[in-house]
Amino acid sequence: MPPTTSDRPADWWRQAVVYQVYPRSFRDLDGDGLGDIAGVTERLPYLQRLGVDAVWLSPFYPSALADGGYDVDDHRDVDPRLGTLEQFDDMVAEAHGRGIKVIVDIVPNHTSDRHAWFQEALASPPGSPARDRYVFRDGTGPDGSRPPSDWMSHFGGPAWTRVPDGQWYLHLFAQEQPDLNWAAPEVRADFLDTLRFWSDRGVDGFRVDVAHALAKDLSEPLRNYGGVHPDALTELPIDGSHPLFDRDEVHEIFREWRKVLDSYDPPRSAVAEAWVTTSRRVLYARPDELGQAFNFEFLVSPWSAEQFRVEIDGALSAAAAAGASATWVLSNHDVVRHRSRYALPAGTDLNGWLLSGGTTPEPDDEVGLRRARAATLLMLALPGSAYVYQGEELGLPEVADLAPEVLQDPIWARTGRVEKGRDGCRVPLPWTRTGPSFGFGGAHPWLPQPAGFGELSAEAQDGVEGSTLELYRAALRLRRELGGDESLQWVDAGPTALTHVLHLRRSTGWASVTNLSAADVALPAGEVVLTSGPLGDGTLPPDTTVWLRPAAS
Ligand code: NOJ
């Protein structure tokens, strides 16, 4: 019996492989152009065969889609275009029957402007309790016609919008996403109810959107910060002193959440989306808070053995010190897909590249795919949880040439068409070689797919030796079989900066070796169990990862 991560069923999430479904782009069973819940249910056998431990569904709640569903009208319902609560329950039951856990997205920083609370706030006078659930303020300047502070929206433009009676409301994202006031007891209580609502329906865990923004310093006068967002991974103060992000008080909120999550058997898991530096990030992941927090430093690391090692060591030791388990992400619905990132020269301005329609600089797709596969095997060899974004198992590239008129991401319009946004990683999945929308669903998917998508479809790769889909399937199966605790040991052939090789060993004895140099390196001893690309004669070629088991003596 190979040793596994933990025998406690309650700890299933500590080293899970979680597959992110972006529901509107996954599978459109009713053919209306938008993916749906029934489509997820239909594809559970595919996910089971892929070997994932859990699915995380991005928001499927009623929404006008001003921000791809992260503008939530009602946190406790299903968008009628995506299905019903009954269909959601069926999906959960079917997933559980197949040994797959279900994680849902919780969006506590804001609601949509169509939410009953916000409608009530608009219909209520300044100073009313209904307005106090959000952040309404009088403007500045002689007639209050200037925003209350210089705070900017992440999506461009001021973070304040004026309402007809002259007050302004805060929205750190689109104007259709008014920020909630987490100092209001009713807001706090309501989210506890939402956690209970989904937990009662059998949901196993939660992904917490913009966890680091809930607690804000709204004392008067509001503190300007110079009108530019700090880069959250590198520039946010680490003492919690920013008025909007990563304030220490935010942890009280998650300690309250943990009590609710722990009132279930098994306790519900949670993972924070907090774009903050490692030392601050793990605070969200403490056992009395959420348990995990996404590590984005691994994702933004350049293709460098030294840098990857710094990120891996930093994440593992910080997680261990906090009593959390580490997390790894290469792609998600907010970033350029990793196959395309790795196809571009180091330091490429990704937005500039998107604006050029994916032509300048010219990506080297072959290198991109090779590195993406190698990075994936490296990620899946690490202790902790790996979050896999739908379509990366097909090796999908970013769709960089979407025409301006089809773009849906609010970033495009709000930045005055300066930032192209995130639509290119959200294009509906290709399931079949041919046919309407390559098997996604109806003839008119909500974002157009590129002509060659069918060749990357699940159908085209199924059973094909060496395909990216088969690589993921094999990797997930082996990862489970080979096991290992949450520790990692480096096998040093010399300083990583000089060898450009990442050779790590897990507690059960198996090893992963990635060659990030430009030349072949000698293949270490051991039985090869999986490789991201062809091996040479006793050598590991550049941009390749191999998994090794100790050779039988
Ligand atoms: C983070 C989500 O991942 C992103 O897609 C969304 O736009 C913002 N939070 C706002 O909810």
Side-chain angles (χ1 to χ4, degrees), residues 20 22 56 58-59 67-72 105-110 154-155 172-174 177 207-212 273 275 294 296 332-334 409-411 422 426:
Q20 181 189 357
Y22 192 72
W56 146 35
S58 279
D67 179 22
Y70 284 89
D71 46 321
V72 178
D105 219 302
I106 280 287
V107 189
N109 181 66
H110 41 265
H154 281 290
F155 294 162
L172 292 184
F173 294 89
Q177 292 167 293
R207 177 264 187 193
V208 184
D209 192 62
V210 237
H212 58 305
E273 184 219 21
W275 285 85
F294 288 130
F296 295 121
N332 67 28
H333 65 294
D334 288 331
D409 190 341
I411 288 180
R422 303 158 295 176
R426 300 175 178 180

Side-chain angles (χ1 to χ4, degrees), residues 6 80 105 136 143 164 194 210 255 265-266 284 289 325 340 363 387 442 476 500 537:
S6 162
D105 219 302
F136 279 86
D143 52 358
T194 297
V210 237
R255 279 193 280 269
D265 183 20
Y284 296 75
E289 295 193 33
S325 80
S340 296
Y387 287 80
L476 268 50
H500 307 289
D537 186 12

Side-chain angles (χ1 to χ4, degrees), residues 162-176:
R162 201 169 194 196
V163 298
D165 63 30
Q167 277 211 309
W168 300 73
Y169 68 88
L170 178 69
H171 52 88
L172 292 184
F173 294 89
Q175 75 187 55
E176 295 87 351

Side-chain angles (χ1 to χ4, degrees), residues 64-89:
L65 301 184
D67 179 22
Y70 284 89
D71 46 321
V72 178
D73 298 349
D74 179 351
H75 282 98
R76 303 203 275 268
D77 204 354
V78 174
D79 190 322
R81 287 168 299 180
L82 271 64
T84 61
L85 276 171
E86 288 65 39
Q87 286 175 332
F88 178 86
D89 293 342

Side-chain angles (χ1 to χ4, degrees), residues 207-241:
R207 177 264 187 193
V208 184
D209 192 62
V210 237
H212 58 305
L214 306 192
K216 301 180 176 78
D217 176 9
L218 298 171
S219 55
E220 302 287 344
L222 299 177
R223 271 196 284 146
N224 285 335
Y225 56 52
V228 187
H229 271 302
D231 177 331
L233 288 186
T234 54
E235 290 164 15
L236 266 188
I238 55 163
D239 60 358
S241 61

